[in-house]
């Protein structure tokens, strides 16, 4: 055989292999002719729990195989947007900001798919978050719970602070009422930064804005450039300017800077959510606990964000997708997310599993739940919200760096946010 003939045959074989691989990767049937349903998430730590749950589902539904697709958080939103527009998104995918997809007809109507009674099992705040124009667009999977105050008991003792006093703290722009800043000054003697005031949307900005009596969004427009907003963000930026929290030059560019400082024993108070609980439990080399966040002029207010699972209307297997949604929204299917203490399941009847997991390890997680008994603040949403947030947060970064006065920054950020919504 001539060399030229061998070359041609080699190319043909390679092409055949490539085509075969492409067909296999894109096929809709698994081994034994099972229907393949693909589920997209952004967090590797959830894969074991989902795999256990889906394995049980598949034992009862041997004709369906569910494969998990992992897309890192940093690129998740952009890739999902492109894939949905191109008609190649997975059959099911995690979502938080879902409104644009719902309005463009890309999401399944959950009530129509699972029945109107299905939502009764789920966390009411999560149901509200994923309901738009009277229609539910996602099956809630887990909730973050409220924001709380992680504390380093060893550092508090060195500063002569009883952890029991944390529950009575108040922040205020009025010096005679404020008890939080004086405590931070006391703690500054035992650590470089007593606290983590920063441009942290869920754990810092929303609780302070809400506890000042303000709102982030109202009637589809941004509403944080208010007297309450000026009080909340003014208080936070002063903590940074006074050296009671890390420089925004560090925290703006690293969402983990404050968490790492706390874990390294360089920060006695770290305000955050349940999503950091497992990391603190695994990595803290000191005695620690969880307390309620400081109360503001309007009391203690927290957000309670949820992640939902949406069905893609472009799926080739709507009935199989419906069955998977029903399973992952059931008590049996959803409880797996609580078994390792990783997150709070959205099925209310299974949330006690999460509490029990941490109680068995000596951790009282009640502050994450107790803060939600009163007023809650919405993180906002609606068509164009994601684009608006991308316009707002660079202005907030400059405000926390001290380059733009708080009043000017809030006015500017609100204007660019509303403009981004108007352009959708």
């Amino acid at each position: 055989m001539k060399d030229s003939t061998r070359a041609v045959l080699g190319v043909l074989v390679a092409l055949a292999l490539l085509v075969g691989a492409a067909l296999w990767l894109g096929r809709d049937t698994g081994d034994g002719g099972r229907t393949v349903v693909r589920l997209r998430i952004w967090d590797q730590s959830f894969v074991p729990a989902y795999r256990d749950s889906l394995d049980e589902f598949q034992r009862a539904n041997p004709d369906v195989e569910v494969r998990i697709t992992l897309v890192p958080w940093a690129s998740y939103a952009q890739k999902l947007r492109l894939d949905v527009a191109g008609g190649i998104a997975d059959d099911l995918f995690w979502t938080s900001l879902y409104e644009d997809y719902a309005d463009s007809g890309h999401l399944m109507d959950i009530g129509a798919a699972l029945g109107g009674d299905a939502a009764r099992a789920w966390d009411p705040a999560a149901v509200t978050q994923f309901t738009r124009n009277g229609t539910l667009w996602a099956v809630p999977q887990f909730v973050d719970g409220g924001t709380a105050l992680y504390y380093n008991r060893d550092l508090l003792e060195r500063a002569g602070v009883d952890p029991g006093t944390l529950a009575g703290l108040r922040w205020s722009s009025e010096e005679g009422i404020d008890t939080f800043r004086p405590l931070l000054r006391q703690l500054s003697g035992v650590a470089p930064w007593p606290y983590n005031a920063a441009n942290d949307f869920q754990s810092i900005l929303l609780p302070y804005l809400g506890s000042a009596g303000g709102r982030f969004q109202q009637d589809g427009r941004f509403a944080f450039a208010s007297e309450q907003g000026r009080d909340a963000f003014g208080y936070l930026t002063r903590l940074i300017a006074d050296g009671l929290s890390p420089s925004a030059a560090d925290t703006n560019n690293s969402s983990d800077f404050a968490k790492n400082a706390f874990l390294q024993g360089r920060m006695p108070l770290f305000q955050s959510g349940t999503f950091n609980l497992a990391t603190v439990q695994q990595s803290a080399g000191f005695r620690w606990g969880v307390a309620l966040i400081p109360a503001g002029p309007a009391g203690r207010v927290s957000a309670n964000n949820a992640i939902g699972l949406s069905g893609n209307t472009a799926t080739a297997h709507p009935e199989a997708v419906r069955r998977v949604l029903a399973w992952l929204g059931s008590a049996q299917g959803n409880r797996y997310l609580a078994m390792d203490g990783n997150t709070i399941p959205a099925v209310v009847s299974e949330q006690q599993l999460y509490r029990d997991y941490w109680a068995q390890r000596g951790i009282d997680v009640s502050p994450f739940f107790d803060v939600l008994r009163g007023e809650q603040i919405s993180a906002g949403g609606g068509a164009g919200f994601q684009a608006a947030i991308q316009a707002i947060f660079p202005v907030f970064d400059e405000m926390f760096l001290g380059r733009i006065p708080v009043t000017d920054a809030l006015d500017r950020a609100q204007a660019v946010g509303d403009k981004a919504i108007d352009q959708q």
Side-chain angles (χ1 to χ4, degrees), residues 82-101:
L82 293 173
D83 289 351
V84 167
I88 59 171
D90 294 282
D91 305 281
L92 297 150
F93 48 83
W94 268 2
T95 185
S96 177
L97 299 176
Y98 66 94
E99 292 89 348
D100 290 339
Y101 300 126

PDB file of all heavy atoms in Angstrom, residues 82-101:
ATOM      1  N   LEU A  82     -25.840  31.860  26.910  1.00  0.00           N
ATOM      2  CA  LEU A  82     -25.493  31.534  25.523  1.00  0.00           C
ATOM      3  C   LEU A  82     -26.098  30.201  25.089  1.00  0.00           C
ATOM      4  O   LEU A  82     -26.602  30.056  23.966  1.00  0.00           O
ATOM      5  CB  LEU A  82     -23.978  31.494  25.361  1.00  0.00           C
ATOM      6  CG  LEU A  82     -23.245  32.837  25.531  1.00  0.00           C
ATOM      7  CD1 LEU A  82     -21.740  32.617  25.522  1.00  0.00           C
ATOM      8  CD2 LEU A  82     -23.651  33.825  24.447  1.00  0.00           C
ATOM      9  N   ASP A  83     -26.056  29.225  25.987  1.00  0.00           N
ATOM     10  CA  ASP A  83     -26.561  27.898  25.638  1.00  0.00           C
ATOM     11  C   ASP A  83     -28.079  27.889  25.490  1.00  0.00           C
ATOM     12  O   ASP A  83     -28.627  27.211  24.606  1.00  0.00           O
ATOM     13  CB  ASP A  83     -26.136  26.876  26.689  1.00  0.00           C
ATOM     14  CG  ASP A  83     -24.640  26.581  26.628  1.00  0.00           C
ATOM     15  OD1 ASP A  83     -23.985  27.033  25.665  1.00  0.00           O
ATOM     16  OD2 ASP A  83     -24.129  25.913  27.544  1.00  0.00           O
ATOM     17  N   VAL A  84     -28.770  28.642  26.355  1.00  0.00           N
ATOM     18  CA  VAL A  84     -30.227  28.730  26.232  1.00  0.00           C
ATOM     19  C   VAL A  84     -30.587  29.399  24.904  1.00  0.00           C
ATOM     20  O   VAL A  84     -31.465  28.929  24.171  1.00  0.00           O
ATOM     21  CB  VAL A  84     -30.842  29.490  27.425  1.00  0.00           C
ATOM     22  CG1 VAL A  84     -32.303  29.847  27.140  1.00  0.00           C
ATOM     23  CG2 VAL A  84     -30.752  28.654  28.687  1.00  0.00           C
ATOM     24  N   ALA A  85     -29.895  30.495  24.587  1.00  0.00           N
ATOM     25  CA  ALA A  85     -30.165  31.196  23.330  1.00  0.00           C
ATOM     26  C   ALA A  85     -29.875  30.309  22.121  1.00  0.00           C
ATOM     27  O   ALA A  85     -30.574  30.383  21.105  1.00  0.00           O
ATOM     28  CB  ALA A  85     -29.333  32.472  23.255  1.00  0.00           C
ATOM     29  N   GLY A  86     -28.863  29.447  22.245  1.00  0.00           N
ATOM     30  CA  GLY A  86     -28.496  28.581  21.134  1.00  0.00           C
ATOM     31  C   GLY A  86     -29.255  27.269  21.095  1.00  0.00           C
ATOM     32  O   GLY A  86     -29.038  26.459  20.194  1.00  0.00           O
ATOM     33  N   GLY A  87     -30.129  27.049  22.090  1.00  0.00           N
ATOM     34  CA  GLY A  87     -30.932  25.835  22.112  1.00  0.00           C
ATOM     35  C   GLY A  87     -30.169  24.588  22.509  1.00  0.00           C
ATOM     36  O   GLY A  87     -30.599  23.471  22.202  1.00  0.00           O
ATOM     37  N   ILE A  88     -29.033  24.745  23.219  1.00  0.00           N
ATOM     38  CA  ILE A  88     -28.216  23.588  23.579  1.00  0.00           C
ATOM     39  C   ILE A  88     -28.022  23.464  25.085  1.00  0.00           C
ATOM     40  O   ILE A  88     -27.136  22.737  25.542  1.00  0.00           O
ATOM     41  CB  ILE A  88     -26.848  23.644  22.883  1.00  0.00           C
ATOM     42  CG1 ILE A  88     -26.088  24.933  23.257  1.00  0.00           C
ATOM     43  CG2 ILE A  88     -26.992  23.518  21.385  1.00  0.00           C
ATOM     44  CD1 ILE A  88     -24.646  24.948  22.763  1.00  0.00           C
ATOM     45  N   ALA A  89     -28.829  24.158  25.864  1.00  0.00           N
ATOM     46  CA  ALA A  89     -28.709  24.072  27.326  1.00  0.00           C
ATOM     47  C   ALA A  89     -29.171  22.703  27.801  1.00  0.00           C
ATOM     48  O   ALA A  89     -29.919  21.992  27.113  1.00  0.00           O
ATOM     49  CB  ALA A  89     -29.535  25.167  27.991  1.00  0.00           C
ATOM     50  N   ASP A  90     -28.752  22.318  28.996  1.00  0.00           N
ATOM     51  CA  ASP A  90     -29.150  21.041  29.570  1.00  0.00           C
ATOM     52  C   ASP A  90     -30.661  21.009  29.806  1.00  0.00           C
ATOM     53  O   ASP A  90     -31.330  22.048  29.862  1.00  0.00           O
ATOM     54  CB  ASP A  90     -28.405  20.818  30.884  1.00  0.00           C
ATOM     55  CG  ASP A  90     -26.909  20.664  30.668  1.00  0.00           C
ATOM     56  OD1 ASP A  90     -26.487  19.582  30.248  1.00  0.00           O
ATOM     57  OD2 ASP A  90     -26.173  21.640  30.904  1.00  0.00           O
ATOM     58  N   ASP A  91     -31.180  19.796  29.999  1.00  0.00           N
ATOM     59  CA  ASP A  91     -32.620  19.619  30.201  1.00  0.00           C
ATOM     60  C   ASP A  91     -33.095  20.289  31.489  1.00  0.00           C
ATOM     61  O   ASP A  91     -34.226  20.784  31.568  1.00  0.00           O
ATOM     62  CB  ASP A  91     -32.950  18.127  30.255  1.00  0.00           C
ATOM     63  CG  ASP A  91     -32.446  17.384  29.028  1.00  0.00           C
ATOM     64  OD1 ASP A  91     -33.114  17.469  27.983  1.00  0.00           O
ATOM     65  OD2 ASP A  91     -31.394  16.729  29.118  1.00  0.00           O
ATOM     66  N   LEU A  92     -32.241  20.280  32.491  1.00  0.00           N
ATOM     67  CA  LEU A  92     -32.528  20.888  33.794  1.00  0.00           C
ATOM     68  C   LEU A  92     -31.324  21.707  34.207  1.00  0.00           C
ATOM     69  O   LEU A  92     -30.180  21.319  33.938  1.00  0.00           O
ATOM     70  CB  LEU A  92     -32.781  19.802  34.851  1.00  0.00           C
ATOM     71  CG  LEU A  92     -33.979  18.884  34.649  1.00  0.00           C
ATOM     72  CD1 LEU A  92     -33.713  17.519  35.248  1.00  0.00           C
ATOM     73  CD2 LEU A  92     -35.214  19.497  35.282  1.00  0.00           C
ATOM     74  N   PHE A  93     -31.558  22.832  34.878  1.00  0.00           N
ATOM     75  CA  PHE A  93     -30.416  23.620  35.332  1.00  0.00           C
ATOM     76  C   PHE A  93     -30.781  24.438  36.559  1.00  0.00           C
ATOM     77  O   PHE A  93     -31.909  24.860  36.741  1.00  0.00           O
ATOM     78  CB  PHE A  93     -29.878  24.543  34.227  1.00  0.00           C
ATOM     79  CG  PHE A  93     -30.911  25.353  33.490  1.00  0.00           C
ATOM     80  CD1 PHE A  93     -31.390  26.547  34.018  1.00  0.00           C
ATOM     81  CD2 PHE A  93     -31.392  24.938  32.255  1.00  0.00           C
ATOM     82  CE1 PHE A  93     -32.322  27.306  33.336  1.00  0.00           C
ATOM     83  CE2 PHE A  93     -32.329  25.694  31.563  1.00  0.00           C
ATOM     84  CZ  PHE A  93     -32.800  26.873  32.103  1.00  0.00           C
ATOM     85  N   TRP A  94     -29.766  24.613  37.414  1.00  0.00           N
ATOM     86  CA  TRP A  94     -29.912  25.483  38.577  1.00  0.00           C
ATOM     87  C   TRP A  94     -30.156  26.915  38.109  1.00  0.00           C
ATOM     88  O   TRP A  94     -29.587  27.366  37.105  1.00  0.00           O
ATOM     89  CB  TRP A  94     -28.629  25.480  39.387  1.00  0.00           C
ATOM     90  CG  TRP A  94     -28.569  24.451  40.479  1.00  0.00           C
ATOM     91  CD1 TRP A  94     -29.496  23.506  40.800  1.00  0.00           C
ATOM     92  CD2 TRP A  94     -27.473  24.263  41.387  1.00  0.00           C
ATOM     93  NE1 TRP A  94     -29.063  22.755  41.845  1.00  0.00           N
ATOM     94  CE2 TRP A  94     -27.833  23.198  42.233  1.00  0.00           C
ATOM     95  CE3 TRP A  94     -26.259  24.901  41.562  1.00  0.00           C
ATOM     96  CZ2 TRP A  94     -26.990  22.753  43.262  1.00  0.00           C
ATOM     97  CZ3 TRP A  94     -25.421  24.451  42.571  1.00  0.00           C
ATOM     98  CH2 TRP A  94     -25.778  23.388  43.415  1.00  0.00           C
ATOM     99  N   THR A  95     -30.949  27.635  38.876  1.00  0.00           N
ATOM    100  CA  THR A  95     -31.157  29.042  38.551  1.00  0.00           C
ATOM    101  C   THR A  95     -31.465  29.828  39.815  1.00  0.00           C
ATOM    102  O   THR A  95     -31.986  29.290  40.792  1.00  0.00           O
ATOM    103  CB  THR A  95     -32.308  29.210  37.533  1.00  0.00           C
ATOM    104  OG1 THR A  95     -32.408  30.584  37.152  1.00  0.00           O
ATOM    105  CG2 THR A  95     -33.638  28.763  38.125  1.00  0.00           C
ATOM    106  N   SER A  96     -31.126  31.084  39.782  1.00  0.00           N
ATOM    107  CA  SER A  96     -31.497  32.027  40.839  1.00  0.00           C
ATOM    108  C   SER A  96     -32.166  33.237  40.195  1.00  0.00           C
ATOM    109  O   SER A  96     -33.272  33.616  40.550  1.00  0.00           O
ATOM    110  CB  SER A  96     -30.261  32.452  41.643  1.00  0.00           C
ATOM    111  OG  SER A  96     -30.586  33.404  42.612  1.00  0.00           O
ATOM    112  N   LEU A  97     -31.475  33.820  39.211  1.00  0.00           N
ATOM    113  CA  LEU A  97     -32.057  34.910  38.428  1.00  0.00           C
ATOM    114  C   LEU A  97     -32.660  34.310  37.160  1.00  0.00           C
ATOM    115  O   LEU A  97     -31.977  34.101  36.161  1.00  0.00           O
ATOM    116  CB  LEU A  97     -30.972  35.937  38.089  1.00  0.00           C
ATOM    117  CG  LEU A  97     -30.309  36.613  39.294  1.00  0.00           C
ATOM    118  CD1 LEU A  97     -29.187  37.526  38.844  1.00  0.00           C
ATOM    119  CD2 LEU A  97     -31.334  37.371  40.126  1.00  0.00           C
ATOM    120  N   TYR A  98     -33.928  34.040  37.226  1.00  0.00           N
ATOM    121  CA  TYR A  98     -34.604  33.247  36.197  1.00  0.00           C
ATOM    122  C   TYR A  98     -35.530  34.056  35.302  1.00  0.00           C
ATOM    123  O   TYR A  98     -36.034  33.549  34.293  1.00  0.00           O
ATOM    124  CB  TYR A  98     -35.461  32.172  36.891  1.00  0.00           C
ATOM    125  CG  TYR A  98     -36.598  32.778  37.684  1.00  0.00           C
ATOM    126  CD1 TYR A  98     -37.862  32.934  37.115  1.00  0.00           C
ATOM    127  CD2 TYR A  98     -36.408  33.249  38.982  1.00  0.00           C
ATOM    128  CE1 TYR A  98     -38.899  33.533  37.829  1.00  0.00           C
ATOM    129  CE2 TYR A  98     -37.427  33.840  39.689  1.00  0.00           C
ATOM    130  CZ  TYR A  98     -38.676  33.985  39.120  1.00  0.00           C
ATOM    131  OH  TYR A  98     -39.687  34.589  39.824  1.00  0.00           O
ATOM    132  N   GLU A  99     -35.806  35.305  35.659  1.00  0.00           N
ATOM    133  CA  GLU A  99     -36.897  36.037  35.035  1.00  0.00           C
ATOM    134  C   GLU A  99     -36.763  36.188  33.513  1.00  0.00           C
ATOM    135  O   GLU A  99     -37.747  36.039  32.777  1.00  0.00           O
ATOM    136  CB  GLU A  99     -37.029  37.425  35.683  1.00  0.00           C
ATOM    137  CG  GLU A  99     -37.505  37.397  37.122  1.00  0.00           C
ATOM    138  CD  GLU A  99     -36.369  37.287  38.129  1.00  0.00           C
ATOM    139  OE1 GLU A  99     -35.213  37.001  37.699  1.00  0.00           O
ATOM    140  OE2 GLU A  99     -36.603  37.475  39.327  1.00  0.00           O
ATOM    141  N   ASP A 100     -35.570  36.482  33.050  1.00  0.00           N
ATOM    142  CA  ASP A 100     -35.380  36.642  31.600  1.00  0.00           C
ATOM    143  C   ASP A 100     -35.713  35.353  30.856  1.00  0.00           C
ATOM    144  O   ASP A 100     -36.300  35.384  29.770  1.00  0.00           O
ATOM    145  CB  ASP A 100     -33.942  37.066  31.300  1.00  0.00           C
ATOM    146  CG  ASP A 100     -33.652  38.493  31.753  1.00  0.00           C
ATOM    147  OD1 ASP A 100     -34.607  39.261  31.922  1.00  0.00           O
ATOM    148  OD2 ASP A 100     -32.470  38.824  31.947  1.00  0.00           O
ATOM    149  N   TYR A 101     -35.340  34.223  31.442  1.00  0.00           N
ATOM    150  CA  TYR A 101     -35.636  32.935  30.803  1.00  0.00           C
ATOM    151  C   TYR A 101     -37.132  32.640  30.824  1.00  0.00           C
ATOM    152  O   TYR A 101     -37.688  32.110  29.858  1.00  0.00           O
ATOM    153  CB  TYR A 101     -34.875  31.811  31.504  1.00  0.00           C
ATOM    154  CG  TYR A 101     -33.378  31.982  31.470  1.00  0.00           C
ATOM    155  CD1 TYR A 101     -32.629  31.954  32.639  1.00  0.00           C
ATOM    156  CD2 TYR A 101     -32.705  32.174  30.275  1.00  0.00           C
ATOM    157  CE1 TYR A 101     -31.253  32.113  32.622  1.00  0.00           C
ATOM    158  CE2 TYR A 101     -31.334  32.340  30.232  1.00  0.00           C
ATOM    159  CZ  TYR A 101     -30.613  32.312  31.421  1.00  0.00           C
ATOM    160  OH  TYR A 101     -29.253  32.475  31.389  1.00  0.00           O
TER     161      TYR A 101
END
